[in-house]
Structures are given as C-alpha cells and as structure tokens.
Amino acid sequence: MASKITETARQKYFSGYQCNYEHQSSELSCKMNFAVFFPPNYSTEADKLPVLFFLSGLTCTHENFSWKSGMQKYAAEKGIVVVMPDTSPRGSNHPKEHDDWDFGSGAGFYLDATNAPWSENYRMYSYLLKELIPAISENFNVSDEKRAVSGHSMGGHGSLVMFLKNPGMFRCCTAFAPISNPSNGLWGVKAFTNYLGEDKSKWADWDATELAKNFTSGSPASILVCQGDTDKFLKEELLTQHFVDVASKNGAIKLDYRLRKGYDHFYPYIATHVEEHFDYIANFIC
C-alpha cells in the first residue's frame, strides 16, 4: 500500500490545477515533496487520464519544471497529468551532503546507492519505482497503461534509465539535454564514485549509453532526445552523442534525435521546445 499523501498547495493554472504534495518515504527515510499538474478535464468520476513523470536536473526541486517551463498550457490542451518528484532525499545530513551543487542534496541521480553512507537512503530509483508511481496510481485517477517519462539533464539521465530498465512500463521517453554517458562524464564520474564505489563494472546498470547497448524489446522503444548545440556541458558532462551513436545502432530502439542550433542547457531552451515534447508524448499516451 502506498504511503498517505497530503496536499500542501493548489493554484488554478490554464483552467487546471498545479498542486504540491508531501508523503513519507521508507526508501529515502524522509518526507518527500512532489508536484502534480491536473488538466481541466481531470475528474475522479471520469476516465483515467494519461500521465507523464518529469524528472528534474541538478540543484532542482519538485517545483522547477512547473514554475519555469510553461508546460501547463500543453498538458491542459492534451489532457495529460504531469507528476514532478524532487531530485534527492532531503535532510539526511550525511557528511559532505550539502557541500557541492553537483552531488548529494539536489543531486540524487535517480539511482540506488550502494556505497556507505549514501546506501542508507539515496535510493531515488526505488523511490520512484516502488513508492511514487504506485502512490500516484492509488491516489489519483490516472492510467497505469498510458504512461510516459521525461526529464532534463540529470533528470534526462533518470528518464532514460527508468525507461530502458523497465520495458513496457512507459510508452515513450523524452529527454532534454540528458547526462547520457555518466560513466565517462565529469558529473557522472563524481556521482557514481561516491554513490556506487570505485568498481566501474557496477556503473553500467545506471548508464543510459551502456543500457542501450544491450537493450532488447519485442517492439521498438520510442525515445526523443533534444539537445542544444551551444550547451556548454555537452562535451565533458553530458556526452549526448555517445548515447545517440549506440541507440541508433540498436534496432530495438526507435530514436528521434533533434539537435537545436543556438540553444544552451537552461530553461529558455526547455520552454522553447517543451511543446514539441508534449506533441511527441501525446502520440503515444493520448
């Protein structure tokens, strides 16, 4: 049974509602916040609506995408419920947890840590899979079949990993400027070394490029990756082309890669292209 959730905020938005919730997580050993946008056609008495899980990037909370992207207009038009979790456990106070912006608090990397002390509760992957997704299904009128996942940067990494590790759970995946090969990127190496240890053989399970090499599925898995070509993190932290090269060679993956001229890594880029992500996603879940 999913944990009890409590609504903490509600605002009318494009005739729907943008809401915040909190619940207790046993996987993360803390209280977690998440946000949900309900389109205007949402009703507990009507048909179950399609749902999109959006995973945010480094330093973000559950509110960044809802505040900055303008996505509510497109979710409202298409009748998609959008769920936005936080990016790490909060309040653990492990040594060095709050020292760096790219590791620890706000930087959970959507994996299950195996290295102490992070293994105690840095289990964002299991939190999403075992707690948040079931809680959304149990508490809201959303479809368990018409489900998609998306994300930005670290969250793009998370969305690709969630999608590739769980064939059939999501009908499609999209990613804005994802950390695509963390085993070889600066952010990823730092995070993986601390969360998973020095044994790099354990890193492949959390690396989208490595997962794409061996991915199999009865029908092609549909993925959209969108990347700005002036992103200053592209060559050393994201390594998007590594994933594109591998995924393009795997017949079990149907990759749509869109390189956007003149765009960087940040929310002006996301807000400019979020509509096309909703168009893509709607083809699979609406």
Side-chain angles (χ1 to χ4, degrees), residues 250-263:
N250 187 335
I253 298 174
K254 186 177 182 181
L255 178 66
D256 183 346
Y257 179 51
R258 305 177 187 181
L259 189 63
R260 297 310 187 191
K261 186 174 178 59
Y263 286 94

Side-chain angles (χ1 to χ4, degrees), residues 34-111:
F34 63 92
V36 182
F37 175 72
F38 299 99
N41 63 326
Y42 177 84
S43 168
T44 57
E45 305 299 325
D47 292 338
K48 292 180 181 293
L49 292 187
V51 58
L52 167 66
F53 289 83
F54 187 89
L55 311 183
S56 290
L58 293 166
T59 76
C60 292
T61 71
H62 58 294
E63 294 186 306
N64 290 70
F65 188 61
S66 65
W67 285 351
K68 298 179 179 181
S69 70
M71 62 85 184
Q72 289 87 350
K73 179 178 187 296
Y74 310 112
E77 290 173 352
K78 298 182 184 302
I80 299 174
V81 174
V82 184
V83 179
M84 295 147 279
D86 204 347
T87 55
S88 76
R90 300 291 176 175
S92 307
N93 295 320
H94 296 305
K96 300 184 179 180
E97 183 177 16
H98 311 299
D99 290 0
D100 297 326
W101 64 271
D102 56 353
F103 175 75
S105 182
F109 268 79
Y110 304 102
L111 50 70

Side-chain angles (χ1 to χ4, degrees), residues 107-172:
F109 268 79
Y110 304 102
L111 50 70
D112 285 352
T114 56
N115 212 29
W118 314 102
S119 54
E120 295 175 12
N121 69 325
Y122 266 67
R123 297 176 53 80
M124 285 297 294
Y125 176 80
S126 285
Y127 165 68
L128 293 173
L129 195 64
K130 299 177 182 179
E131 292 187 324
L132 184 61
I133 292 175
I136 297 301
S137 294
E138 183 175 308
N139 288 277
F140 303 116
N141 196 27
V142 299
S143 173
D144 290 336
E145 298 178 354
K146 297 178 180 179
R147 185 190 286 149
V149 63
S150 181
H152 169 235
S153 192
M154 179 186 72
H157 145 77
S159 67
L160 291 171
V161 168
M162 288 289 296
F163 185 69
L164 294 170
K165 286 174 75 72
N166 299 280
M169 176 172 281
F170 305 96
R171 290 196 176 180
C172 68

Side-chain angles (χ1 to χ4, degrees), residues 204-274:
D205 282 344
W206 306 104
D207 187 314
T209 296
E210 296 300 319
L211 291 171
K213 289 179 181 179
N214 301 309
F215 179 80
T216 59
S217 177
S219 57
S222 298
I223 299 174
L224 166 64
V225 172
C226 182
Q227 175 67 58
D229 72 346
T230 62
D231 190 325
K232 66 180 181 180
F233 305 119
L234 183 56
K235 293 183 179 180
E236 294 188 340
E237 289 88 359
L238 304 181
L239 306 178
T240 309
Q241 194 63 47
H242 292 195
F243 176 79
V244 171
D245 290 345
V246 170
S248 297
K249 295 175 182 177
N250 187 335
I253 298 174
K254 186 177 182 181
L255 178 66
D256 183 346
Y257 179 51
R258 305 177 187 181
L259 189 63
R260 297 310 187 191
K261 186 174 178 59
Y263 286 94
D264 60 20
H265 191 72
F266 303 105
Y267 262 91
Y269 147 71
I270 295 174
T272 300
H273 296 102
V274 70

Side-chain angles (χ1 to χ4, degrees), residues 173-195:
C173 171
T174 80
F176 295 87
I179 297 175
S180 301
N181 187 197
S183 297
N184 292 300
L186 296 180
W187 290 333
V189 169
K190 179 177 180 178
F192 282 15
T193 300
N194 284 280
Y195 290 140

